[in-house]
Amino acid sequence: CDSFAVSPIARDTLETASATGGGGPGGPPGGKHVDDPYFLQPMEGVDGTGYRSSWWTQFYCILWRSWLSVLKDPMLVKVRLLQTAMVASLIGSIYFGQVLDQDGVMNINGSLFLFLTNMTFQNVFAVINVFSAELPVFLREKRSRLYRVDTYFLGKTIAELPLFIAVPFVFTSITYPMIGLKVGLSHYLTTLFIVTLVANVSTSFWYLISCA
């Protein structure tokens, strides 16, 4: 900002605004009014909703920007996956090699409880500040009619969806065979599907808390 303020472009802009707009804020209009890009022109191509672009264009741009922001912080993704792998290995070690007797059934019940709690709270703390951190930018761009609220929410959510699918996959793939849960691809996929749903439902609920 400081470099721009002393640049030739900034001086030319200031001179043009002073020549056409009078003596500054609150002052009387002075000089001649010219048709130049420094003044807001009538918006052409705007539909009845007041947006220059279509719903799909807004959604694509928000999705792409959110995806780039995820890719710009690869260390966060690595830490999340490493943390998940370590917790899964710990739980798998505690409940390692269960058999289907009375004690084994109770232990498996406890391990399934940890499945749910870990997938819930780990994702809760990952998204609690998502929207509050971007609130000033969102409000400024929303008031400028750059995009709708639904396109922003969907784009932001879908951009982070791969991580919220990868975390349950890593967790289930480590703990399922270590605990000795029911053998079979269909049983594993059923467990993975349920754990993924739990993770994303908890994420969605805390998106609600973050927005509130």
Side-chain angles (χ1 to χ4, degrees):
C1 294
D2 295 336
S3 299
F4 174 77
V6 297
S7 66
I9 297 178
R11 289 196 296 269
D12 293 341
T13 304
L14 181 61
E15 291 175 359
T16 304
S18 300
T20 59
K32 60 180 180 178
H33 292 274
V34 296
D35 186 13
D36 58 26
Y38 299 112
F39 292 91
L40 291 176
Q41 303 299 322
M43 297 175 65
E44 299 179 357
V46 179
D47 56 15
T49 61
Y51 298 98
R52 286 181 179 268
S53 57
S54 64
W55 190 95
W56 287 106
T57 303
Q58 298 175 28
F59 172 73
Y60 173 78
C61 293
I62 293 295
L63 178 63
W64 180 247
R65 186 178 72 174
S66 301
W67 178 246
L68 289 180
S69 66
V70 173
L71 295 180
K72 288 179 179 178
D73 197 2
M75 183 57 64
L76 178 61
V77 177
K78 294 177 181 178
V79 169
R80 288 285 308 281
L81 295 178
L82 179 61
Q83 176 188 6
T84 302
M86 293 176 62
V87 173
S89 301
L90 178 62
I91 295 176
S93 300
I94 295 174
Y95 294 99
F96 184 80
Q98 297 298 318
V99 294
L100 289 179
D101 54 15
Q102 186 64 36
D103 292 335
V105 169
M106 296 298 295
N107 291 335
I108 290 176
N109 186 41
S111 67
L112 295 179
F113 174 77
L114 290 179
F115 266 63
L116 301 180
T117 56
N118 186 72
M119 284 297 97
T120 299
F121 291 105
Q122 181 177 349
N123 292 298
V124 160
F125 296 119
V127 302
I128 190 63
N129 290 323
V130 166
F131 291 113
S132 58
E134 294 188 0
L135 186 60
V137 175
F138 166 74
L139 291 178
R140 182 175 68 247
E141 295 178 343
K142 176 65 175 64
R143 289 164 181 164
S144 300
R145 310 292 288 176
L146 294 181
Y147 49 74
R148 299 168 173 82
V149 177
D150 55 346
T151 55
Y152 171 79
F153 180 81
L154 290 175
K156 186 72 176 174
T157 303
I158 295 176
E160 298 181 351
L161 185 61
L163 181 60
F164 294 122
I165 294 178
V167 168
F169 174 77
V170 172
F171 183 83
T172 306
S173 299
I174 294 176
T175 54
Y176 196 94
M178 291 184 67
I179 297 174
L181 300 178
K182 194 170 184 178
V183 180
L185 180 61
S186 61
H187 304 299
Y188 164 76
L189 293 178
T190 302
T191 304
L192 177 60
F193 178 70
I194 294 175
V195 171
T196 304
L197 282 182
V198 169
N200 284 274
V201 167
S202 63
T203 300
S204 299
F205 178 75
W206 282 93
Y207 275 151
L208 171 65
I209 302 300
S210 178
C211 290

